[in-house]
Amino acid sequence: MAEHPVDVPASGYLVVRASGAAAARAAILGGTADPESVQLLMRCPVPRAVAESGAKLTFADATLHLLPSERGVVMLTVAAAKLSIPFTELRPLMFRPVEVDAPLRTLFASAVAHVLAAGSRLDPHGLAHHLLGLAELVLRSALRVELDRVDALAARRRAALEYMRAHLGEQSLTADKIAEALYISRRRLYQLFDDGQGVSERLKGLRIERAKTLLADPAKAGRGIAEIARDCGFTSAPHFSRTFRRATGRTPREFREQALRG
């Protein structure tokens, strides 16, 4: 297998990669191309002499490589077919730094140190199974933590959106107020909406959607544009009309007339 450029993980982080260009694209974009191998990269405390010279132990289904060019970075490569975790389930870990808690880092470092120290005197088949088991343990543990983190982020994101929808009519609704209501920092709130749209744009989008619903409702046909603007949290009817037109290509009045005719 050809060597890839090393994505050097910071201390306390794991990087998981797949071998082969097709597998890499599948891991990122989705697809069915499974890799031949999965690589786990993590920093470990190792003896200075070993760190400077590097080390590489190769077995049938696993390779342990201490990279000499990257001090303390260990790359454990295992045959993907030998893992009990389907490759599709590993996608949340692929090609980005994933934080690993201290107990798992300690266990991994200890196992690596023992293999490097005694590998030449141990049965190679047993060592291969040992390294496969180590990879399984690290991947499963990191995956569980990552999925829990994603679930927690999704729950916080839902809570933020629910709060926004419940307070859309308040012109004073800001990122600071939303963060305070959720007992999180403003920075944490922005992390929940790091998809390129951001908090203010998301809030504006929710207000436009609320306005479209009100404008298209026959029961609200008697309400003026200014009143709907206030109900959706816009500072004035002209501001509402400009924002609505930029978002939909029509003025609120044009949208209402078309919606009610339809």
Side-chain angles (χ1 to χ4, degrees), residues 130-157:
H130 176 65
L131 292 175
L132 279 167
L134 179 62
E136 283 265 355
L137 177 60
V138 171
L139 289 170
R140 286 184 176 277
S141 300
L143 185 60
R144 184 183 64 182
V145 171
E146 183 64 10
L147 292 178
D148 287 345
R149 186 190 71 83
V150 170
D151 286 345
L153 285 175
R156 282 289 179 88
R157 185 185 176 102

Side-chain angles (χ1 to χ4, degrees), residues 11-12 28 39 75 98 103 131 136 155 165 170 174 223 241 248:
S11 180
I28 297 172
Q39 299 171 332
M75 181 167 66
V98 176
L131 292 175
E136 283 265 355
R165 291 190 180 100
E170 301 175 13
T174 62
R223 301 178 68 185
S241 295
T248 67

Side-chain angles (χ1 to χ4, degrees), residues 35 42 79 93 99 126-127 169 174 181 192 209 221 225 233 253 256 258:
M42 198 185 308
L93 301 178
E99 190 170 5
L127 265 181
T174 62
L192 299 179
E209 289 304 313
I225 298 300
R253 195 174 306 280
R256 168 181 269 175
Q258 184 174 349

Side-chain angles (χ1 to χ4, degrees), residues 24-260:
R25 285 194 298 272
I28 297 172
L29 304 175
T32 58
D34 287 352
E36 293 182 3
S37 302
V38 172
Q39 299 171 332
L40 295 76
L41 292 95
M42 198 185 308
R43 287 190 179 275
C44 293
V46 293
R48 181 184 297 273
V50 177
E52 291 176 351
S53 62
K56 189 172 185 179
L57 299 176
T58 303
F59 308 98
D61 297 314
T63 299
L64 183 64
H65 189 187
L66 181 62
L67 305 179
S69 61
E70 301 294 343
R71 185 177 179 84
V73 175
V74 172
M75 181 167 66
L76 175 57
T77 303
V78 295
K82 295 294 183 178
L83 294 171
S84 66
I85 314 169
F87 182 64
T88 53
E89 293 184 16
L90 294 177
R91 288 204 174 104
L93 301 178
M94 301 301 296
F95 299 100
R96 62 186 187 81
V98 176
E99 190 170 5
V100 178
D101 59 18
L104 185 59
R105 294 200 308 269
T106 300
L107 185 147
F108 182 80
S110 176
V112 166
H114 281 90
V115 170
L116 290 174
S120 61
R121 299 188 297 276
L122 298 176
D123 177 71
H125 297 291
L127 265 181
H129 283 292
H130 176 65
L131 292 175
L132 279 167
L134 179 62
E136 283 265 355
L137 177 60
V138 171
L139 289 170
R140 286 184 176 277
S141 300
L143 185 60
R144 184 183 64 182
V145 171
E146 183 64 10
L147 292 178
D148 287 345
R149 186 190 71 83
V150 170
D151 286 345
L153 285 175
R156 282 289 179 88
R157 185 185 176 102
R158 286 194 299 271
L161 288 171
E162 288 171 5
Y163 184 85
M164 290 182 193
R165 291 190 180 100
H167 296 83
L168 281 179
E170 301 175 13
Q171 295 179 10
S172 61
L173 185 62
T174 62
D176 287 332
K177 189 170 183 179
I178 298 166
E180 182 181 355
L182 296 177
Y183 302 101
I184 60 177
S185 67
R186 180 189 175 102
R187 178 174 176 273
R188 184 62 168 162
L189 175 66
Y190 277 99
Q191 288 176 343
L192 299 179
F193 298 96
D194 62 354
D195 54 2
Q197 191 172 29
V199 177
S200 60
E201 285 300 312
R202 187 61 50 88
L203 188 56
K204 184 193 299 182
L206 291 173
R207 283 175 164 149
I208 293 295
E209 289 304 313
R210 166 78 62 86
K212 288 165 69 174
T213 299
L214 295 176
L215 291 167
D217 187 351
K220 305 289 193 302
R223 301 178 68 185
I225 298 300
E227 187 178 0
I228 288 178
R230 286 194 302 272
D231 287 347
C232 297
F234 289 95
T235 56
S236 67
H239 175 231
F240 167 51
S241 295
R242 289 193 302 270
T243 304
F244 191 91
R245 186 168 189 169
R246 281 197 298 267
T248 67
R250 288 168 286 177
T251 66
R253 195 174 306 280
E254 290 168 345
F255 180 89
R256 168 181 269 175
E257 290 173 355
Q258 184 174 349
L260 295 180

